[in-house]
Every structure is written in structure tokens, then in C-alpha cells.
Amino acid sequence: MAPAAMRIAAQSLSGAKPVSYWLDDPARPDPLPALTGDEHTDLLVVGGGYSGLWTALIAKERDPERDVVLIEGHEVGWAASGRNGGFCAASLTHGLANGVERWPDEIAKLEELGGRNLDAIEEAVARYGIDCEFERTGEIDVATEPYQLEELREWHQEIVALGITGVDFLDRDAVRAEVDSPTFLGGLWDRRGVAMLHPAKLAWGLKRACRELGVRIYEGTRGLDLVRSGEGMAVRTPYGRIFARRVALGTNIFPSLVKRVRPYTVPVYDYALMTEPLTPEQLESIGWKGRQGLGDSANQFHYFRLSADNRILWGGYDAIYPYGGKLSADLDQRPETFLKLAGQFFDCFPQLSGVNFSHAWGGAIDTCSRFTAFFGTAHQGRVAYAAGYTGLGVGSTRFGADVMLDLLAGEETERTRLEMVRSKPMPFPPEPFAWAGIEITRRSLARADDNGGRRNLWLKTMDKLGLGFDS
């Protein structure tokens, strides 16, 4: 970055608050008391993010008489569910391309289930009166390099051949008519497959809906261990115990209470900025009347969207894996990444020079080697888990909740018959091999972006093995 550009980027960050914009909201509910003493329940849900909240809610919808308890180690929505970009996608497979590559024989069913899942989220938001600023505007994948444009054009032809509708190819003029950036050369617009929302308000709304249906929620209550107890299970917490017939684990990047699951995920720290609200003149300079979500097509990609009050969220690019998979609040802030993101923002939207960022934050994503969630049971079917959403869990965690409840019920359904549900990703190796492999992959992806998309031998080998690293 040139010195002048660096000064502009640094100045734009001078007043940024080191907290997620979504969580820095007066609507944030007060935390609920922690569990003290012993509890007994039919179903215990561990984790108060989207995964756990949807599981508790759907469990009560399926059987209103079922007794359900949910515990959360901090506050509901505090982790990834309150820090993401608010892109709620229909895809269950981290994008259509990943699904076609891994499960070509199931992709039609996976796409159908994903569309139904997004419809169900939209219906639940309306039914429970969840004010999460839900807008089903779609998403545009933009090309910023000529090779990316050709790849998008070829991929659109494949999408059409698969019989999938609602995805349009946009040339340079068409994409800039939607959102005007001098860096945009074209794009693919998925018109119905993605909604924009306020992620923290979705979590808080689900919390309220769960409680209205009778779910007992304890915050500040971390599950410490999981053991057999008679015909059920027991989870120890700092101030008590919970005895449950069945347990659903929605802990995602936090260490699973089923220890054999832990090698399947690693934490990847992702970072985002939020601008101050744009003036009408600034908004007019970029267009964006359709309010779609956007993402560029590089390996190290950006995602960006408008908030309800016309701020721009700008995130992505760096995906940082801490050695040993360490989780720490200290890693939520990374000034060198914020400076890089700010400079790239003004490269994309030079007409917004002078805009300042109000918030800068980060958080950990539960990445797995196949980029999309995996599922399973433990303790002879008494415990179910879902993890590995790799940054696209805003929508697919609801599907994962249905899968966990199917597994706990011992039911064979259209979900549990899927190869995606019945198979596992390859686990990550122990250190130092995990860090070395991930770092080689990150550097190789950066070189590919600088080299017309050409992938080196390492990446080609990883592709053949169906392995990768992403956020």
C-alpha cells in the first residue's frame, strides 16, 4: 500500500470501536442467570448460537410437551452468531460448486432442501415476529480480474446445464448498474438464494421465541464434561449438573464435549469493518439500490453488504489460523488486518474517500476440511452433534438442527439418508503439521490470486484429495 493510501486507511479507522457492530446495539437483551443446582430434562442443548437455538426451537415445534433446556457459556449470540456478515444462504454445501464437486449425485436434493430451509427461516422470522432486518435480496459474486470473469461465465453455463434457475450472468455494465465499482468486471447474481439480516437480532429473536415456547435457557453456564447417567446423560456445569435423556451439541468451534470430534475442526479468525452511515449523496455514488450482498471471486475474498441504516460491512480476505488452534479474545482485534481491509475498501470504492469506519472486529469460524457441516452421534445415539459450517452457518445451522433432532430420534429421513450427513471430512493432523499445512495453503492461495488464478502443485494435490482451507 502506498504511503498516501496507508494514511487515508489509518485515518478512516481512528474512531472505530473494537466490538462487533451487531452486538453494539441497545436492543441487546440482558443476560439470563446461570444454572445453579441440578436440572432434569428430556433434551439438553449445549450452545447458544444459531445451531443450539434452532435445535431448541424446532424440538419444541415438533413436540410442544418435550422439556428442553439450553445452556450457553457466555451470552446467546455472543460468538460467531453475533459477529458474522449477516449473509443467510440457502446453500447447505458452502456454495453450489463445492456441493457439485463433493456430492454430484445428491446436488439436486441438497439444493431443494437448502431452498426449503431458507424459506422456513423466512417463515419463522415472520411467525415469531423476529425483527432481524431480513431482506431476501440475493447475492452477486463479482469478478475483479479477467480470469475470474471467464470462470464465472463458464460456471454460469454449468449452472444452466444443471437446470438451476434464478442465477443471472452480468457483464461489466450490468454489474456496475447494480453496484458501481471501477474494479467490477462482471458477476453472477443469485436472486433468491441469499437473504441479508442483522445476525445478532436473529439470535436474540430466536432466544425470545424459545423462551415463549417454554425452553429454559441458562447463560453464563459452560458445559464442562459429558458422561453417561443411567439411561441418559449428565453434563456438569460450574455450579450444577443437568441430567438429560438426550443431548444436542451446538458448540461449533469451541471444544466439543465429544473429544473424538475435536480434530475435525480448526478455528480460523475472520475480520470485518463497518462504516459510518452513508449520506444520500455517497449512496447515490455507488448505486446499490437492490441492496444485494456481494462477494468477490478471489481465493482471498471479501464479502460486503449494506446494513439497514446504510452502512457498508466490509470483511474477509485474511483468514488467520492461530498455532495450536488457540481461542482467545486477544485475537478478535488485528490492526494490521483492519488497515489492509480499509485500504482495499477504498480501492473498491474510491468515490467513498473520506468515509470513516465506526466498528472493527473479528471472531473465530469453525472450519473443516470439506468446508461444510458434518454430523454424527455418540453414546449409542443419546448425543448428536453438528459442526464445521465454515462461515456459512447463518442459514445451514437450521438444517443442522433438523439433522441432529432426526438422529436423536433414531429416524431415517430424507436428511439422514444424505451422503453429506452420513460421511465425515478428513480430520486435521496434530501440530505442528496442521499449522504448516494451513500456512502453505494460505500462501499458495495468495500466490494464485496474484498469478491469474493458476494453482500450484500443492493446491492441485489438495484439490484431488478434496481438502482445503477456507473461511
Side-chain angles (χ1 to χ4, degrees), residues 160-220:
V160 172
L162 288 168
I164 295 171
T165 60
V167 181
D168 297 331
F169 179 80
L170 307 178
D171 63 18
R172 179 182 179 277
D173 291 342
V175 74
R176 291 189 63 174
E178 295 297 328
V179 185
D180 192 12
S181 166
T183 67
F184 293 173
L185 304 179
L188 286 184
W189 183 2
D190 180 350
R191 291 181 177 269
R192 290 284 296 166
V194 183
M196 298 294 106
L197 52 77
H198 187 302
K201 287 184 177 179
L202 174 60
W204 300 334
L206 290 172
K207 173 183 176 180
R208 174 182 55 78
C210 284
R211 296 186 73 200
E212 289 174 352
L213 293 184
V215 177
R216 300 192 301 288
I217 297 177
Y218 297 97
E219 294 179 286

Side-chain angles (χ1 to χ4, degrees), residues 226-244:
L226 173 70
V227 297
R228 287 282 296 274
S229 177
E231 294 300 309
M233 303 298 300
V235 170
R236 182 171 59 88
T237 71
Y239 307 119
R241 296 173 300 174
I242 306 168
F243 299 91

